Amino acid sequence: MARYFMPQPGDSFLKNIITWAKTGKRFRPSFPRAVQFQTLSVCNAKCIFCPHCQSPEAIPHGRMEDALINKIIAECGRHMVGRVSPYLTNEPLLDKRMPAILKAIKKAARFPVKTKINTNAALLTDAMGKQLINAGLDQLWISVNGYSPETYRASMGLDFDQTMTNIETFLNNKKLLGRKRPKVVITTLKTRLVEPEMEKAKAYWAARDVKFSIHHLDNRAGEEVTSGIRPVNSENSLKRTCDLFLKQAYIVENGDMILCCHDWRQSVVVGNVAKTSIAEVWNSKYFKGLIYEYYAEKFDNIEICRNCC
């Protein structure tokens, strides 16, 4: 997705266009370019790099009501949203409604829209996989963090053989059905545990003609959970030019829009779309004020940003 900048109060549309032309960065739109909403708060994995999974009692839990799902889908359908993703910090395939939700997103869209989910694939059964394909899912990102049963279980707390079987079955079903979508991307976080298996992983997915993406470990908005698993001689710098809140909206199961996808504690709520709308929250003075504070490096109201790297 493109890079974005935050217009200053009073900036004209023409000035924003000129800045876009000069910098290559787009100005914050009046509606998010991507919307992620979490329909169910739980996850079946116990990833060593994920505080959400290690401390689930630290956040509220619930299931998004059908009426709110439909409201979000309908509002996204009226706007030129580039991507709609019905997941956030959870495992989306735990929600049996997922194929129907993905199908509804496509049906409601007045403009072309991509759908995407991230999964650990432990629940990507033969039946679920076929439903996702038939629902018109565009992108399926699968998180695989370990390429031996021992490393995988230590990293994610799941069964390696079952997950790999699920992925192979899904890839085979795509071929049998003659479908190009969803595009499958395998993602692996470079941790101290998985680092020795990276070359094996590259060869494995290359042999299957599947895109493989290595992601660098971040600290989940300042959490210490990643400190002991970071690769040796690997350091991240503080994020001070983040633009996620300039282009993406993140909604949890009760309708709260949170500032950032890394805010697993839901500590910074910018509004509630069940009570108003995505557009109203997105364009609120409160939300914009927090963004100005971020770029001014004032973190009293956005503590999660202070140590994020």
Side-chain angles (χ1 to χ4, degrees):
M1 190 176 290
R3 297 288 294 173
Y4 284 75
F5 71 91
M6 183 65 181
Q8 294 301 308
D11 282 358
S12 67
F13 182 76
L14 178 59
K15 183 176 181 179
N16 291 335
I17 291 292
I18 292 172
T19 302
W20 182 358
K22 287 182 177 179
T23 66
K25 295 181 180 181
R26 304 179 184 184
F27 53 90
R28 186 177 191 259
S30 59
F31 198 86
R33 294 293 299 125
V35 174
Q36 287 186 234
F37 63 96
Q38 181 165 284
T39 66
L40 198 65
S41 61
V42 292
C43 184
N44 57 326
K46 295 291 182 183
C47 299
I48 56 173
F49 47 80
C50 180
H52 177 283
C53 296
Q54 294 187 27
S55 304
E57 71 284 349
I59 59 172
H61 287 283
R63 179 179 186 271
M64 185 175 282
E65 295 181 359
D66 291 343
L68 180 53
I69 292 174
N70 293 335
K71 180 182 179 183
I72 292 170
I73 290 174
E75 187 175 3
C76 289
R78 296 191 297 269
H79 292 83
M80 294 186 68
V81 181
R83 171 173 56 81
V84 178
S85 298
Y87 78 96
L88 192 50
T89 59
N90 64 322
E91 168 50 52
L93 298 188
L94 280 168
D95 194 333
K96 301 303 181 184
R97 301 173 295 176
M98 191 51 55
I101 291 170
L102 292 165
K103 190 176 293 186
I105 293 169
K106 290 287 189 178
K107 185 177 180 180
R110 297 180 185 174
F111 306 94
V113 62
K114 289 183 179 179
T115 52
K116 172 195 170 190
I117 58 172
N118 283 28
T119 176
N120 56 48
L123 301 173
L124 188 62
T125 62
D126 178 75
M128 175 58 76
K130 289 176 180 175
Q131 289 181 69
L132 294 179
I133 293 170
N134 290 328
L137 177 64
D138 292 294
Q139 296 183 6
L140 181 65
W141 286 36
I142 302 175
S143 178
V144 181
N145 294 284
Y147 290 88
S148 66
E150 297 76 20
T151 303
Y152 185 79
R153 185 166 291 280
S155 293
M156 302 184 70
L158 297 170
D159 184 281
F160 176 74
D161 292 329
Q162 182 62 64
T163 295
M164 300 309 280
T165 297
N166 289 348
I167 297 173
E168 292 284 355
T169 299
F170 185 81
L171 295 174
N172 288 335
N173 281 336
K174 267 186 64 181
K175 289 182 180 179
L176 290 172
L177 293 169
R179 305 291 184 85
K180 293 183 178 180
R181 297 287 177 180
K183 180 180 180 180
V184 176
V185 179
I186 304 297
T187 66
T188 298
L189 272 177
K190 191 175 183 180
T191 64
R192 197 173 299 178
L193 267 70
V194 182
E195 189 175 21
E197 298 177 351
M198 284 302 189
E199 293 305 314
K200 176 182 178 181
K202 290 177 184 178
Y204 184 90
W205 297 118
R208 287 155 179 78
D209 194 27
V210 175
K211 184 176 179 181
F212 176 56
S213 179
I214 300 172
H215 291 189
H216 294 284
L217 191 67
D218 61 56
N219 68 0
R220 301 294 174 117
E223 296 290 337
E224 295 297 324
V225 67
T226 61
S227 59
I229 58 173
R230 190 178 298 279
V232 178
N233 300 322
S234 172
E235 293 184 4
N236 288 351
S237 58
L238 291 173
K239 292 179 181 177
R240 291 295 178 262
T241 57
C242 182
D243 68 348
L244 289 177
F245 36 57
L246 304 184
K247 55 190 178 185
Q248 300 194 58
Y250 308 100
I251 303 164
V252 296
E253 57 278 355
N254 68 347
D256 282 345
M257 187 186 294
I258 58 177
L259 182 68
C260 175
C261 56
H262 293 299
D263 187 11
W264 67 278
R265 294 181 187 272
Q266 303 172 24
S267 63
V268 183
V269 176
V270 297
N272 187 284
V273 305
K275 299 174 181 177
T276 54
S277 67
I278 296 172
E280 288 177 276
V281 175
W282 182 258
N283 293 296
S284 67
K285 288 184 178 180
Y286 180 66
F287 195 175
K288 290 181 178 179
L290 292 178
I291 297 172
Y292 291 130
E293 288 178 21
Y294 169 80
Y295 288 116
E297 297 193 17
K298 297 178 181 179
F299 303 114
D300 289 348
N301 296 315
I302 46 173
E303 189 62 34
I304 59 165
C305 299
R306 188 186 301 275
N307 299 311
C308 185
C309 66

